Amino acid sequence: MSGESIDGPTPGRDEKRLRRIRSFVRRPGRLTPAQKAALEELGPRYALPDDCRNLADAFERKVPLVVEIGCGNGQALIAMAEREPEKNFVGIEVHEPGVGRLLQGLAEKGLDNVRVVMADAVDVLARHATPGSIDEVRIYFPDPWPKKRHHKRRLIQPEFVGQLALYIRPGGLLHLATDWQPYCEWMLEVIDAEEGFVRLDHPLTERPEWRPRTHFETRGARKGHAIADLLYRRAGR
Ligand SMILES: C[S@@+](CC[C@H](N)C(=O)[O-])C[C@H]1O[C@@H](n2cnc3c(N)ncnc32)[C@H](O)[C@@H]1O
């Protein structure tokens, strides 16, 4: 199945007004010629079809669907898609060079259980997810926005977590990791307060073997940061 464009939805005027605060800053990163070529040549192969109302419909094979939000250069996504071939994956990321590298990696490995959307995950889920349609959401090392005045930019907010509870099927999983202890505490406070999620005996202080190492995890560990993994199950059956 080939998609039209790797760029996700363009927010309408109302959406722009409602959501001025973004969890990322679009920095005009320098694209290498290889990343540029990957975006142009491989982008359509891994994009969602234009009329895709439900992320799961981007695949012909109906198997569990995992969504990784903020997948960066795709190090973890590629490893997970390779290690869990029985699942479909959607990676959502706004950073162009990262998406370019991800596409290169997917093509090198010949993976076809992955689709990629280059847009704000909040908009992508609002447009392309239906209630209970996602089996797992994985969010690894989201930007910690350490300054107090920037906390409102953190991706993990009560409203967004409420949306995740809507889109993840009962019994499905939400897995997060961070190397920033204050963000870990924030996540625990926000997600514990969402009755749609049940915390599974965490935060873990050791990286679970099923989570591949990511670029930002390596950076955090080099600075001596402790890594925490948080795992929640969507309540209900
Ligand atoms: C600190 S990086 C971590 C990247 C990767 N997960 C890792 O561990 O190496 C956070 C990433 O999330 C992306 N991001 C932040 N908010 C996002 C959003 N609302 N939608 C999509 N991507 C987002 C950023 O562009 C950035 O690449």
Side-chain angles (χ1 to χ4, degrees):
M1 184 179 304
S2 72
E4 298 302 323
S5 160
I6 200 149
D7 298 313
T10 310
R13 236 185 22 200
D14 287 350
E15 275 173 78
K16 275 189 193 151
R17 192 161 42 76
L18 286 173
R19 257 194 56 70
R20 284 206 195 96
I21 301 170
R22 302 271 173 189
S23 56
F24 55 88
V25 180
R26 268 188 216 274
R27 291 195 182 82
R30 213 184 296 149
L31 279 176
T32 65
Q35 289 163 354
K36 190 167 181 288
L39 286 166
E40 285 168 8
E41 289 158 26
L42 300 171
R45 173 169 155 198
Y46 290 100
L48 299 182
D50 251 2
D51 56 353
C52 181
R53 174 62 196 104
N54 192 346
L55 291 174
D57 295 341
F59 303 87
E60 277 165 33
R61 203 176 57 139
K62 298 303 164 208
V63 294
L65 176 68
V66 180
V67 175
E68 188 187 353
I69 296 177
C71 53
N73 64 16
Q75 196 174 335
L77 182 58
I78 293 166
M80 297 188 301
E82 216 176 2
R83 209 185 281 177
E84 300 167 71
E86 72 285 4
K87 297 178 184 169
N88 289 332
F89 290 82
V90 172
I92 308 176
E93 174 55 63
V94 288
H95 187 58
E96 263 196 315
V99 173
R101 286 188 64 177
L102 163 61
L103 295 171
Q104 286 174 290
L106 291 174
E108 273 162 27
K109 303 267 182 185
L111 291 165
D112 62 5
N113 58 337
V114 182
R115 297 291 179 273
V116 181
V117 192
M118 194 165 67
D120 186 337
V122 178
D123 299 332
V124 175
L125 294 181
R127 294 277 182 92
H128 296 290
T130 53
S133 60
I134 300 174
D135 292 271
E136 288 182 47
V137 170
R138 302 179 184 178
I139 306 177
Y140 299 148
F141 305 91
D143 301 286
W145 292 107
K147 291 182 184 155
K148 190 153 192 245
R149 69 174 190 277
H150 289 150
H151 286 179
K152 56 183 178 293
R153 305 199 66 144
R154 287 176 169 171
L155 178 66
I156 301 304
Q157 302 288 347
E159 195 191 349
F160 184 57
V161 170
Q163 292 299 296
L164 294 178
L166 177 69
Y167 301 133
I168 298 175
R169 68 163 172 81
L173 294 175
L174 171 62
H175 181 190
L176 307 102
T178 181
D179 65 325
W180 190 247
Q181 184 60 28
Y183 198 13
C184 174
E185 285 156 21
W186 170 288
M187 288 174 179
L188 289 168
E189 198 178 313
V190 172
I191 309 174
D192 284 357
E194 168 54 59
E195 58 185 24
F197 287 115
V198 179
R199 176 143 50 110
L200 300 177
D201 217 15
H202 291 266
L204 296 175
T205 48
E206 272 184 35
R207 190 170 61 88
E209 55 77 29
W210 72 81
R211 180 174 62 70
R213 197 172 290 284
T214 79
H215 178 65
F216 274 81
E217 174 177 16
T218 306
R219 268 173 55 162
R222 219 180 279 140
K223 291 179 192 160
H225 296 177
I227 311 289
D229 280 78
L230 278 61
L231 194 60
Y232 287 84
R233 184 169 52 74
R234 174 70 174 83
R237 288 168 169 266

